[in-house]
PDB file of all heavy atoms in Angstrom:
ATOM      1  N   ARG A   1     -17.663  -4.161   7.482  1.00 97.00           N
ATOM      2  CA  ARG A   1     -16.471  -4.869   6.998  1.00 97.00           C
ATOM      3  C   ARG A   1     -15.265  -3.933   6.977  1.00 97.00           C
ATOM      4  O   ARG A   1     -14.139  -4.364   7.234  1.00 97.00           O
ATOM      5  CB  ARG A   1     -16.733  -5.446   5.611  1.00 97.00           C
ATOM      6  CG  ARG A   1     -17.686  -6.632   5.629  1.00 97.00           C
ATOM      7  CD  ARG A   1     -18.030  -7.109   4.227  1.00 97.00           C
ATOM      8  NE  ARG A   1     -16.838  -7.545   3.493  1.00 97.00           N
ATOM      9  CZ  ARG A   1     -16.781  -7.593   2.165  1.00 97.00           C
ATOM     10  NH1 ARG A   1     -17.822  -7.244   1.430  1.00 97.00           N
ATOM     11  NH2 ARG A   1     -15.680  -8.007   1.570  1.00 97.00           N
ATOM     12  N   GLY A   2     -15.499  -2.655   6.677  1.00 97.00           N
ATOM     13  CA  GLY A   2     -14.411  -1.681   6.680  1.00 97.00           C
ATOM     14  C   GLY A   2     -13.805  -1.489   8.057  1.00 97.00           C
ATOM     15  O   GLY A   2     -12.616  -1.174   8.180  1.00 97.00           O
ATOM     16  N   GLY A   3     -14.603  -1.680   9.091  1.00 96.00           N
ATOM     17  CA  GLY A   3     -14.103  -1.525  10.453  1.00 96.00           C
ATOM     18  C   GLY A   3     -13.589  -2.800  11.083  1.00 96.00           C
ATOM     19  O   GLY A   3     -13.137  -2.791  12.228  1.00 96.00           O
ATOM     20  N   ALA A   4     -13.650  -3.894  10.347  1.00 97.00           N
ATOM     21  CA  ALA A   4     -13.216  -5.192  10.887  1.00 97.00           C
ATOM     22  C   ALA A   4     -11.695  -5.232  11.039  1.00 97.00           C
ATOM     23  O   ALA A   4     -10.972  -4.604  10.264  1.00 97.00           O
ATOM     24  CB  ALA A   4     -13.686  -6.315   9.970  1.00 97.00           C
ATOM     25  N   PRO A   5     -11.209  -5.983  12.028  1.00 97.00           N
ATOM     26  CA  PRO A   5      -9.753  -6.049  12.257  1.00 97.00           C
ATOM     27  C   PRO A   5      -8.960  -6.479  11.027  1.00 97.00           C
ATOM     28  O   PRO A   5      -7.880  -5.946  10.767  1.00 97.00           O
ATOM     29  CB  PRO A   5      -9.626  -7.075  13.384  1.00 97.00           C
ATOM     30  CG  PRO A   5     -10.939  -7.035  14.102  1.00 97.00           C
ATOM     31  CD  PRO A   5     -11.966  -6.722  13.043  1.00 97.00           C
ATOM     32  N   GLU A   6      -9.506  -7.417  10.251  1.00 97.00           N
ATOM     33  CA  GLU A   6      -8.753  -7.881   9.083  1.00 97.00           C
ATOM     34  C   GLU A   6      -8.629  -6.795   8.017  1.00 97.00           C
ATOM     35  O   GLU A   6      -7.626  -6.724   7.295  1.00 97.00           O
ATOM     36  CB  GLU A   6      -9.363  -9.160   8.487  1.00 97.00           C
ATOM     37  CG  GLU A   6     -10.805  -9.053   8.046  1.00 97.00           C
ATOM     38  CD  GLU A   6     -11.814  -9.398   9.130  1.00 97.00           C
ATOM     39  OE1 GLU A   6     -11.476  -9.368  10.338  1.00 97.00           O
ATOM     40  OE2 GLU A   6     -12.972  -9.702   8.766  1.00 97.00           O
ATOM     41  N   THR A   7      -9.630  -5.914   7.921  1.00 97.00           N
ATOM     42  CA  THR A   7      -9.544  -4.818   6.958  1.00 97.00           C
ATOM     43  C   THR A   7      -8.563  -3.756   7.441  1.00 97.00           C
ATOM     44  O   THR A   7      -7.784  -3.218   6.645  1.00 97.00           O
ATOM     45  CB  THR A   7     -10.940  -4.194   6.732  1.00 97.00           C
ATOM     46  OG1 THR A   7     -11.851  -5.226   6.337  1.00 97.00           O
ATOM     47  CG2 THR A   7     -10.885  -3.123   5.656  1.00 97.00           C
ATOM     48  N   LYS A   8      -8.588  -3.464   8.723  1.00 97.00           N
ATOM     49  CA  LYS A   8      -7.610  -2.529   9.283  1.00 97.00           C
ATOM     50  C   LYS A   8      -6.187  -3.024   9.022  1.00 97.00           C
ATOM     51  O   LYS A   8      -5.300  -2.252   8.641  1.00 97.00           O
ATOM     52  CB  LYS A   8      -7.848  -2.344  10.782  1.00 97.00           C
ATOM     53  CG  LYS A   8      -9.152  -1.660  11.107  1.00 97.00           C
ATOM     54  CD  LYS A   8      -9.360  -1.577  12.617  1.00 97.00           C
ATOM     55  CE  LYS A   8     -10.683  -0.910  12.951  1.00 97.00           C
ATOM     56  NZ  LYS A   8     -10.901  -0.818  14.414  1.00 97.00           N
ATOM     57  N   GLU A   9      -5.995  -4.317   9.215  1.00 97.00           N
ATOM     58  CA  GLU A   9      -4.679  -4.916   8.977  1.00 97.00           C
ATOM     59  C   GLU A   9      -4.317  -4.858   7.495  1.00 97.00           C
ATOM     60  O   GLU A   9      -3.159  -4.616   7.130  1.00 97.00           O
ATOM     61  CB  GLU A   9      -4.673  -6.365   9.478  1.00 97.00           C
ATOM     62  CG  GLU A   9      -3.406  -7.130   9.208  1.00 97.00           C
ATOM     63  CD  GLU A   9      -2.172  -6.573   9.903  1.00 97.00           C
ATOM     64  OE1 GLU A   9      -2.325  -5.765  10.857  1.00 97.00           O
ATOM     65  OE2 GLU A   9      -1.057  -6.930   9.492  1.00 97.00           O
ATOM     66  N   ALA A  10      -5.291  -5.076   6.624  1.00 96.00           N
ATOM     67  CA  ALA A  10      -5.033  -5.023   5.184  1.00 96.00           C
ATOM     68  C   ALA A  10      -4.561  -3.630   4.765  1.00 96.00           C
ATOM     69  O   ALA A  10      -3.623  -3.499   3.973  1.00 96.00           O
ATOM     70  CB  ALA A  10      -6.289  -5.416   4.403  1.00 96.00           C
ATOM     71  N   LEU A  11      -5.185  -2.585   5.310  1.00 97.00           N
ATOM     72  CA  LEU A  11      -4.768  -1.225   4.969  1.00 97.00           C
ATOM     73  C   LEU A  11      -3.382  -0.929   5.535  1.00 97.00           C
ATOM     74  O   LEU A  11      -2.557  -0.283   4.878  1.00 97.00           O
ATOM     75  CB  LEU A  11      -5.790  -0.206   5.478  1.00 97.00           C
ATOM     76  CG  LEU A  11      -5.477   1.255   5.151  1.00 97.00           C
ATOM     77  CD1 LEU A  11      -5.353   1.479   3.642  1.00 97.00           C
ATOM     78  CD2 LEU A  11      -6.548   2.173   5.744  1.00 97.00           C
ATOM     79  N   ARG A  12      -3.112  -1.417   6.732  1.00 96.00           N
ATOM     80  CA  ARG A  12      -1.785  -1.226   7.314  1.00 96.00           C
ATOM     81  C   ARG A  12      -0.721  -1.893   6.432  1.00 96.00           C
ATOM     82  O   ARG A  12       0.311  -1.299   6.123  1.00 96.00           O
ATOM     83  CB  ARG A  12      -1.734  -1.781   8.736  1.00 96.00           C
ATOM     84  CG  ARG A  12      -0.429  -1.447   9.474  1.00 96.00           C
ATOM     85  CD  ARG A  12      -0.354  -2.123  10.832  1.00 96.00           C
ATOM     86  NE  ARG A  12      -0.329  -3.568  10.736  1.00 96.00           N
ATOM     87  CZ  ARG A  12       0.734  -4.285  10.337  1.00 96.00           C
ATOM     88  NH1 ARG A  12       1.842  -3.686   9.993  1.00 96.00           N
ATOM     89  NH2 ARG A  12       0.666  -5.596  10.290  1.00 96.00           N
ATOM     90  N   ARG A  13      -0.994  -3.114   5.996  1.00 96.00           N
ATOM     91  CA  ARG A  13      -0.051  -3.826   5.120  1.00 96.00           C
ATOM     92  C   ARG A  13       0.098  -3.110   3.779  1.00 96.00           C
ATOM     93  O   ARG A  13       1.191  -3.051   3.211  1.00 96.00           O
ATOM     94  CB  ARG A  13      -0.508  -5.273   4.901  1.00 96.00           C
ATOM     95  CG  ARG A  13      -0.222  -6.183   6.077  1.00 96.00           C
ATOM     96  CD  ARG A  13      -0.338  -7.663   5.703  1.00 96.00           C
ATOM     97  NE  ARG A  13      -1.496  -7.977   4.885  1.00 96.00           N
ATOM     98  CZ  ARG A  13      -2.685  -8.342   5.367  1.00 96.00           C
ATOM     99  NH1 ARG A  13      -2.876  -8.443   6.674  1.00 96.00           N
ATOM    100  NH2 ARG A  13      -3.684  -8.607   4.555  1.00 96.00           N
ATOM    101  N   GLN A  14      -1.004  -2.591   3.276  1.00 95.00           N
ATOM    102  CA  GLN A  14      -0.966  -1.855   2.002  1.00 95.00           C
ATOM    103  C   GLN A  14      -0.049  -0.636   2.126  1.00 95.00           C
ATOM    104  O   GLN A  14       0.741  -0.345   1.227  1.00 95.00           O
ATOM    105  CB  GLN A  14      -2.389  -1.423   1.638  1.00 95.00           C
ATOM    106  CG  GLN A  14      -2.518  -0.860   0.269  1.00 95.00           C
ATOM    107  CD  GLN A  14      -2.928  -1.896  -0.737  1.00 95.00           C
ATOM    108  OE1 GLN A  14      -2.309  -2.943  -0.864  1.00 95.00           O
ATOM    109  NE2 GLN A  14      -3.969  -1.612  -1.466  1.00 95.00           N
ATOM    110  N   THR A  15      -0.148   0.077   3.241  1.00 96.00           N
ATOM    111  CA  THR A  15       0.711   1.250   3.463  1.00 96.00           C
ATOM    112  C   THR A  15       2.167   0.821   3.581  1.00 96.00           C
ATOM    113  O   THR A  15       3.065   1.487   3.047  1.00 96.00           O
ATOM    114  CB  THR A  15       0.235   2.020   4.708  1.00 96.00           C
ATOM    115  OG1 THR A  15      -1.132   2.428   4.496  1.00 96.00           O
ATOM    116  CG2 THR A  15       1.093   3.242   4.963  1.00 96.00           C
ATOM    117  N   GLU A  16       2.417  -0.294   4.237  1.00 95.00           N
ATOM    118  CA  GLU A  16       3.787  -0.818   4.333  1.00 95.00           C
ATOM    119  C   GLU A  16       4.324  -1.177   2.953  1.00 95.00           C
ATOM    120  O   GLU A  16       5.492  -0.938   2.648  1.00 95.00           O
ATOM    121  CB  GLU A  16       3.827  -2.037   5.255  1.00 95.00           C
ATOM    122  CG  GLU A  16       3.647  -1.684   6.721  1.00 95.00           C
ATOM    123  CD  GLU A  16       3.506  -2.906   7.617  1.00 95.00           C
ATOM    124  OE1 GLU A  16       3.438  -4.049   7.084  1.00 95.00           O
ATOM    125  OE2 GLU A  16       3.448  -2.720   8.847  1.00 95.00           O
ATOM    126  N   ARG A  17       3.476  -1.755   2.111  1.00 95.00           N
ATOM    127  CA  ARG A  17       3.888  -2.070   0.730  1.00 95.00           C
ATOM    128  C   ARG A  17       4.233  -0.811  -0.032  1.00 95.00           C
ATOM    129  O   ARG A  17       5.189  -0.782  -0.814  1.00 95.00           O
ATOM    130  CB  ARG A  17       2.774  -2.818  -0.007  1.00 95.00           C
ATOM    131  CG  ARG A  17       2.829  -4.320   0.143  1.00 95.00           C
ATOM    132  CD  ARG A  17       1.874  -5.024  -0.812  1.00 95.00           C
ATOM    133  NE  ARG A  17       2.368  -4.998  -2.177  1.00 95.00           N
ATOM    134  CZ  ARG A  17       1.597  -4.914  -3.259  1.00 95.00           C
ATOM    135  NH1 ARG A  17       0.285  -4.830  -3.146  1.00 95.00           N
ATOM    136  NH2 ARG A  17       2.107  -4.915  -4.474  1.00 95.00           N
ATOM    137  N   ALA A  18       3.443   0.237   0.182  1.00 95.00           N
ATOM    138  CA  ALA A  18       3.733   1.506  -0.492  1.00 95.00           C
ATOM    139  C   ALA A  18       5.127   1.998  -0.103  1.00 95.00           C
ATOM    140  O   ALA A  18       5.904   2.444  -0.959  1.00 95.00           O
ATOM    141  CB  ALA A  18       2.669   2.548  -0.130  1.00 95.00           C
ATOM    142  N   ILE A  19       5.446   1.901   1.165  1.00 94.00           N
ATOM    143  CA  ILE A  19       6.773   2.324   1.644  1.00 94.00           C
ATOM    144  C   ILE A  19       7.855   1.462   1.003  1.00 94.00           C
ATOM    145  O   ILE A  19       8.900   1.982   0.573  1.00 94.00           O
ATOM    146  CB  ILE A  19       6.815   2.272   3.183  1.00 94.00           C
ATOM    147  CG1 ILE A  19       5.874   3.334   3.770  1.00 94.00           C
ATOM    148  CG2 ILE A  19       8.238   2.459   3.698  1.00 94.00           C
ATOM    149  CD1 ILE A  19       5.602   3.185   5.255  1.00 94.00           C
ATOM    150  N   GLU A  20       7.624   0.158   0.912  1.00 93.00           N
ATOM    151  CA  GLU A  20       8.597  -0.745   0.282  1.00 93.00           C
ATOM    152  C   GLU A  20       8.833  -0.393  -1.180  1.00 93.00           C
ATOM    153  O   GLU A  20       9.948  -0.519  -1.689  1.00 93.00           O
ATOM    154  CB  GLU A  20       8.128  -2.198   0.403  1.00 93.00           C
ATOM    155  CG  GLU A  20       8.183  -2.750   1.813  1.00 93.00           C
ATOM    156  CD  GLU A  20       7.427  -4.060   1.974  1.00 93.00           C
ATOM    157  OE1 GLU A  20       6.977  -4.638   0.948  1.00 93.00           O
ATOM    158  OE2 GLU A  20       7.281  -4.503   3.125  1.00 93.00           O
ATOM    159  N   PHE A  21       7.778   0.054  -1.876  1.00 92.00           N
ATOM    160  CA  PHE A  21       7.907   0.464  -3.275  1.00 92.00           C
ATOM    161  C   PHE A  21       8.665   1.793  -3.413  1.00 92.00           C
ATOM    162  O   PHE A  21       9.018   2.186  -4.520  1.00 92.00           O
ATOM    163  CB  PHE A  21       6.536   0.616  -3.941  1.00 92.00           C
ATOM    164  CG  PHE A  21       5.941  -0.661  -4.457  1.00 92.00           C
ATOM    165  CD1 PHE A  21       4.633  -0.978  -4.162  1.00 92.00           C
ATOM    166  CD2 PHE A  21       6.670  -1.535  -5.248  1.00 92.00           C
ATOM    167  CE1 PHE A  21       4.056  -2.158  -4.647  1.00 92.00           C
ATOM    168  CE2 PHE A  21       6.111  -2.705  -5.731  1.00 92.00           C
ATOM    169  CZ  PHE A  21       4.800  -3.018  -5.431  1.00 92.00           C
ATOM    170  N   GLY A  22       8.851   2.498  -2.293  1.00 93.00           N
ATOM    171  CA  GLY A  22       9.486   3.804  -2.357  1.00 93.00           C
ATOM    172  C   GLY A  22       8.504   4.929  -2.629  1.00 93.00           C
ATOM    173  O   GLY A  22       8.903   6.034  -3.005  1.00 93.00           O
ATOM    174  N   ILE A  23       7.218   4.660  -2.421  1.00 95.00           N
ATOM    175  CA  ILE A  23       6.195   5.691  -2.634  1.00 95.00           C
ATOM    176  C   ILE A  23       6.313   6.729  -1.535  1.00 95.00           C
ATOM    177  O   ILE A  23       6.396   6.410  -0.361  1.00 95.00           O
ATOM    178  CB  ILE A  23       4.790   5.054  -2.667  1.00 95.00           C
ATOM    179  CG1 ILE A  23       4.645   4.205  -3.944  1.00 95.00           C
ATOM    180  CG2 ILE A  23       3.691   6.106  -2.570  1.00 95.00           C
ATOM    181  CD1 ILE A  23       3.360   3.407  -4.026  1.00 95.00           C
ATOM    182  N   PHE A  24       6.327   7.990  -1.934  1.00 93.00           N
ATOM    183  CA  PHE A  24       6.472   9.098  -0.991  1.00 93.00           C
ATOM    184  C   PHE A  24       5.362  10.123  -1.118  1.00 93.00           C
ATOM    185  O   PHE A  24       5.319  11.101  -0.375  1.00 93.00           O
ATOM    186  CB  PHE A  24       7.833   9.791  -1.193  1.00 93.00           C
ATOM    187  CG  PHE A  24       8.066  10.230  -2.611  1.00 93.00           C
ATOM    188  CD1 PHE A  24       7.639  11.474  -3.047  1.00 93.00           C
ATOM    189  CD2 PHE A  24       8.679   9.387  -3.513  1.00 93.00           C
ATOM    190  CE1 PHE A  24       7.835  11.872  -4.357  1.00 93.00           C
ATOM    191  CE2 PHE A  24       8.897   9.779  -4.827  1.00 93.00           C
ATOM    192  CZ  PHE A  24       8.467  11.033  -5.254  1.00 93.00           C
ATOM    193  N   GLY A  25       4.461   9.915  -2.062  1.00 93.00           N
ATOM    194  CA  GLY A  25       3.349  10.840  -2.261  1.00 93.00           C
ATOM    195  C   GLY A  25       2.284  10.192  -3.119  1.00 93.00           C
ATOM    196  O   GLY A  25       2.460   9.079  -3.634  1.00 93.00           O
ATOM    197  N   ALA A  26       1.178  10.896  -3.264  1.00 96.00           N
ATOM    198  CA  ALA A  26       0.055  10.378  -4.043  1.00 96.00           C
ATOM    199  C   ALA A  26      -0.449  11.466  -4.998  1.00 96.00           C
ATOM    200  O   ALA A  26      -0.396  12.649  -4.653  1.00 96.00           O
ATOM    201  CB  ALA A  26      -1.083   9.951  -3.105  1.00 96.00           C
ATOM    202  N   PRO A  27      -0.894  11.009  -6.171  1.00 98.00           N
ATOM    203  CA  PRO A  27      -1.009   9.635  -6.632  1.00 98.00           C
ATOM    204  C   PRO A  27       0.332   9.087  -7.104  1.00 98.00           C
ATOM    205  O   PRO A  27       1.201   9.837  -7.538  1.00 98.00           O
ATOM    206  CB  PRO A  27      -1.975   9.748  -7.810  1.00 98.00           C
ATOM    207  CG  PRO A  27      -1.661  11.101  -8.399  1.00 98.00           C
ATOM    208  CD  PRO A  27      -1.368  11.967  -7.200  1.00 98.00           C
ATOM    209  N   SER A  28       0.462   7.786  -6.999  1.00 98.00           N
ATOM    210  CA  SER A  28       1.609   7.094  -7.564  1.00 98.00           C
ATOM    211  C   SER A  28       1.089   5.899  -8.344  1.00 98.00           C
ATOM    212  O   SER A  28       0.114   5.264  -7.945  1.00 98.00           O
ATOM    213  CB  SER A  28       2.557   6.615  -6.463  1.00 98.00           C
ATOM    214  OG  SER A  28       3.227   7.697  -5.854  1.00 98.00           O
ATOM    215  N   CYS A  29       1.749   5.616  -9.449  1.00 98.00           N
ATOM    216  CA  CYS A  29       1.440   4.421 -10.230  1.00 98.00           C
ATOM    217  C   CYS A  29       2.653   3.505 -10.175  1.00 98.00           C
ATOM    218  O   CYS A  29       3.789   3.966 -10.261  1.00 98.00           O
ATOM    219  CB  CYS A  29       1.137   4.775 -11.686  1.00 98.00           C
ATOM    220  SG  CYS A  29      -0.407   5.674 -11.921  1.00 98.00           S
ATOM    221  N   VAL A  30       2.379   2.219 -10.036  1.00 97.00           N
ATOM    222  CA  VAL A  30       3.433   1.217 -10.095  1.00 97.00           C
ATOM    223  C   VAL A  30       3.087   0.265 -11.233  1.00 97.00           C
ATOM    224  O   VAL A  30       1.966  -0.252 -11.307  1.00 97.00           O
ATOM    225  CB  VAL A  30       3.569   0.457  -8.759  1.00 97.00           C
ATOM    226  CG1 VAL A  30       4.601  -0.656  -8.885  1.00 97.00           C
ATOM    227  CG2 VAL A  30       3.960   1.423  -7.640  1.00 97.00           C
ATOM    228  N   VAL A  31       4.059   0.087 -12.123  1.00 97.00           N
ATOM    229  CA  VAL A  31       3.896  -0.810 -13.267  1.00 97.00           C
ATOM    230  C   VAL A  31       5.107  -1.728 -13.290  1.00 97.00           C
ATOM    231  O   VAL A  31       6.222  -1.281 -13.588  1.00 97.00           O
ATOM    232  CB  VAL A  31       3.811  -0.033 -14.601  1.00 97.00           C
ATOM    233  CG1 VAL A  31       3.584  -0.997 -15.757  1.00 97.00           C
ATOM    234  CG2 VAL A  31       2.726   1.030 -14.557  1.00 97.00           C
ATOM    235  N   GLY A  32       4.898  -3.000 -12.925  1.00 93.00           N
ATOM    236  CA  GLY A  32       6.001  -3.951 -12.959  1.00 93.00           C
ATOM    237  C   GLY A  32       7.229  -3.494 -12.198  1.00 93.00           C
ATOM    238  O   GLY A  32       8.351  -3.678 -12.657  1.00 93.00           O
ATOM    239  N   GLY A  33       7.032  -2.872 -11.064  1.00 92.00           N
ATOM    240  CA  GLY A  33       8.152  -2.401 -10.257  1.00 92.00           C
ATOM    241  C   GLY A  33       8.616  -0.995 -10.574  1.00 92.00           C
ATOM    242  O   GLY A  33       9.405  -0.411  -9.822  1.00 92.00           O
ATOM    243  N   GLU A  34       8.150  -0.410 -11.678  1.00 96.00           N
ATOM    244  CA  GLU A  34       8.494   0.977 -12.030  1.00 96.00           C
ATOM    245  C   GLU A  34       7.527   1.924 -11.327  1.00 96.00           C
ATOM    246  O   GLU A  34       6.316   1.715 -11.348  1.00 96.00           O
ATOM    247  CB  GLU A  34       8.400   1.204 -13.540  1.00 96.00           C
ATOM    248  CG  GLU A  34       9.451   0.498 -14.349  1.00 96.00           C
ATOM    249  CD  GLU A  34      10.813   1.172 -14.266  1.00 96.00           C
ATOM    250  OE1 GLU A  34      10.886   2.383 -13.971  1.00 96.00           O
ATOM    251  OE2 GLU A  34      11.808   0.475 -14.493  1.00 96.00           O
ATOM    252  N   LEU A  35       8.082   2.974 -10.714  1.00 98.00           N
ATOM    253  CA  LEU A  35       7.276   3.950  -9.985  1.00 98.00           C
ATOM    254  C   LEU A  35       7.119   5.228 -10.796  1.00 98.00           C
ATOM    255  O   LEU A  35       8.101   5.761 -11.322  1.00 98.00           O
ATOM    256  CB  LEU A  35       7.953   4.269  -8.642  1.00 98.00           C
ATOM    257  CG  LEU A  35       7.290   5.321  -7.760  1.00 98.00           C
ATOM    258  CD1 LEU A  35       5.890   4.889  -7.344  1.00 98.00           C
ATOM    259  CD2 LEU A  35       8.165   5.582  -6.528  1.00 98.00           C
ATOM    260  N   PHE A  36       5.886   5.696 -10.906  1.00 98.00           N
ATOM    261  CA  PHE A  36       5.563   6.957 -11.574  1.00 98.00           C
ATOM    262  C   PHE A  36       4.768   7.793 -10.578  1.00 98.00           C
ATOM    263  O   PHE A  36       3.687   7.388 -10.154  1.00 98.00           O
ATOM    264  CB  PHE A  36       4.711   6.709 -12.826  1.00 98.00           C
ATOM    265  CG  PHE A  36       5.393   5.865 -13.868  1.00 98.00           C
ATOM    266  CD1 PHE A  36       5.388   4.477 -13.780  1.00 98.00           C
ATOM    267  CD2 PHE A  36       6.034   6.454 -14.942  1.00 98.00           C
ATOM    268  CE1 PHE A  36       6.009   3.695 -14.731  1.00 98.00           C
ATOM    269  CE2 PHE A  36       6.663   5.684 -15.912  1.00 98.00           C
ATOM    270  CZ  PHE A  36       6.653   4.293 -15.802  1.00 98.00           C
TER     271      PHE A  36
END
């Protein structure tokens, strides 16, 4: 399941969401739009 196309796409979208949140490193916490 980890190698399935839909999972690959989910991780790609997750990374795009991180960029949208302004995440630039890890770990990062997001709480209601606030970035820590």
Side-chain angles (χ1 to χ4, degrees):
R1 288 175 61 202
E6 58 270 20
T7 305
K8 294 177 181 180
E9 176 63 17
L11 181 58
R12 188 185 64 74
R13 283 195 316 269
Q14 189 94 307
T15 301
E16 288 173 354
R17 271 191 74 214
I19 293 167
E20 290 167 8
F21 277 132
I23 291 174
F24 54 88
S28 289
C29 291
V30 176
V31 182
E34 291 284 336
L35 177 62
F36 299 83

